[in-house]
Amino acid sequence: MDNYKIDGHKLFYHIPRVNAWLNKENIYPIYMEISPTGACNHRCSFCAFDYLEYKPRSIDSKILLNTLTELGKVGLKSVMYAGEGEPLLHKNIDHFIIHSKECGIDTSIATNGVLFDLEMSKKCLKHLSWMRVSLNAATPKMYRRIHGTKEKDFESVIENIKDAVNIKKENNLCCAIGVQCILLPENFNEIVNLAKLLKPIGIDYLTIKPFIKHLMSSHDIEKSFKYSELACLEKELEEFNSDSFKVVFRANAMTKLEKELRPYKKCLGLPFFAEILSNGDIYACGPYLGNKKFCYGNLYKRSFTEIWNGADREKVLNFVSNELDVQTCMKNCRLDEINRYLWGLTFEPPEHVNFI
């Protein structure tokens, strides 16, 4: 049960922005992802950004705070702190979360959860629309193997999740607390036990998603591991669903992995989205972080609005529109469902569209 539409998209809830785009206006993004730091305290076996080498760099706090103010003014709707490293390793992450919300931006964080302790919950939960913990095992031993860390981190994360749930309940907060698990050959047999472990804690959802091979990452999984053969697991997990706890088994994402071609010929979703790296670079999309052909500019040199309305971004968009072969892009990218929607609106609408 996907109440949050995690396995789809929500662009059709932003009709004015979509309509402006259809009218060829230069719109500002609805959603952005921000990497406060390149450093990470884990070395996960599925990490998409291992090729960025976990550089211990952090974005300048003043620059990011000023940029958030600017983003609020131009109509950014939401931001997720995640990206190339563990966002909680930035010393001012709590200030970023608080300021984002003060600027009218819905705010979220994706974290491995080790540093999201009781104090952090007290500071940040009331400012977050949601927080999501990456937890890819149900036992300390498997956790160590997949996350590339110490077994004791497993217990720390579980305790931190419990504290976050308690803070949420005690203060009647709206923050959704979820856990995401990448389904791998190693952890396949622990997924049901993970649901058994998490449901009594009181989180809102557990999402199970497939491993997606990043274009630049050295990580991969066994080719013989077929997600299409896991319908039995989806059925077993459905039994855990209740009014207060949902398991989101991303069957749609898994199915698309085994299809060869995208149904659209161009990436159309870039105007609605962007990513900020820990060095201040603004990128068009996640699969091409570090590839300068997809970099709009740098916040240390120009403001966000100057970059967004500048010639360098126009050059990137022209390249993507005229030269990029989307069939060579990373499968199931962040914009895939959005691209399917926009392509249908603009180039291949169904027949008889007026018969609503």
Side-chain angles (χ1 to χ4, degrees), residues 44-74:
C44 298
S45 63
F46 57 84
C47 181
F49 299 120
D50 58 319
Y51 72 96
L52 294 175
E53 301 178 339
Y54 311 106
K55 294 184 174 89
R57 64 189 183 193
S58 294
I59 195 165
D60 180 83
S61 296
K62 184 177 180 181
I63 285 178
L64 183 53
L65 290 170
N66 288 339
T67 299
L68 290 168
T69 299
E70 191 178 7
L71 289 168
K73 290 178 180 178
V74 300

Side-chain angles (χ1 to χ4, degrees), residues 256 262-264 331-341:
K256 287 190 297 180
R262 286 173 158 88
Y264 50 90
K331 291 185 177 182
N332 274 10
C333 69
R334 183 79 68 183
L335 297 177
D336 182 65
E337 287 293 324
I338 289 173
N339 279 326
R340 292 167 187 260
Y341 169 64

Side-chain angles (χ1 to χ4, degrees), residues 255-281:
T255 300
K256 287 190 297 180
L257 280 179
E258 298 180 12
K259 293 183 178 179
E260 292 186 2
L261 297 177
R262 286 173 158 88
Y264 50 90
K265 297 178 182 177
K266 294 184 179 183
C267 182
L268 303 176
L270 297 184
F272 300 91
F273 172 85
E275 294 206 22
I276 298 176
L277 285 191
S278 58
N279 66 350
D281 281 344

Side-chain angles (χ1 to χ4, degrees), residues 46-112:
F46 57 84
C47 181
F49 299 120
D50 58 319
Y51 72 96
L52 294 175
E53 301 178 339
Y54 311 106
K55 294 184 174 89
R57 64 189 183 193
S58 294
I59 195 165
D60 180 83
S61 296
K62 184 177 180 181
I63 285 178
L64 183 53
L65 290 170
N66 288 339
T67 299
L68 290 168
T69 299
E70 191 178 7
L71 289 168
K73 290 178 180 178
V74 300
L76 184 73
K77 298 291 187 181
S78 63
V79 64
M80 178 177 75
Y81 291 101
E84 62 188 299
E86 167 52 48
L88 290 171
L89 285 173
H90 196 294
K91 63 180 181 180
N92 288 323
I93 183 62
D94 53 332
H95 297 293
F96 300 155
I97 289 170
I98 294 168
H99 189 64
S100 299
K101 191 61 178 177
E102 289 175 344
C103 292
I105 303 169
D106 290 343
T107 308
S108 63
I109 188 168
T111 170
N112 59 41

Side-chain angles (χ1 to χ4, degrees), residues 162-200:
K162 290 178 179 178
D163 285 339
V165 170
N166 290 335
I167 293 295
K168 173 184 176 177
K169 290 180 178 179
E170 289 170 3
N171 296 277
N172 196 28
L173 303 178
C174 295
C175 175
I177 299 175
V179 167
Q180 176 173 282
C181 178
I182 309 293
L183 186 55
L184 302 165
E186 305 96 286
N187 67 9
F188 171 77
N189 291 322
E190 292 198 0
I191 300 301
V192 172
N193 285 335
L194 182 62
K196 288 180 181 178
L197 172 67
L198 294 173
K199 182 175 180 178

Side-chain angles (χ1 to χ4, degrees), residues 15-30:
I15 297 301
R17 197 86 55 111
V18 173
N19 191 55
W21 175 81
L22 287 170
N23 290 326
K24 302 188 183 306
E25 296 179 27
N26 182 33
I27 63 169
Y28 286 102
I30 293 173

Side-chain angles (χ1 to χ4, degrees), residues 9 13-14 77 93 127 140 150 156 160 162 173 215 223 262 271 274 292 301 317:
H9 77 91
Y13 292 107
H14 300 276
K77 298 291 187 181
I93 183 62
H127 303 284
K150 301 172 183 177
S156 296
N160 289 343
K162 290 178 179 178
L173 303 178
L215 299 171
K223 302 301 181 185
R262 286 173 158 88
K292 292 299 182 180
K301 299 177 181 178
L317 295 180

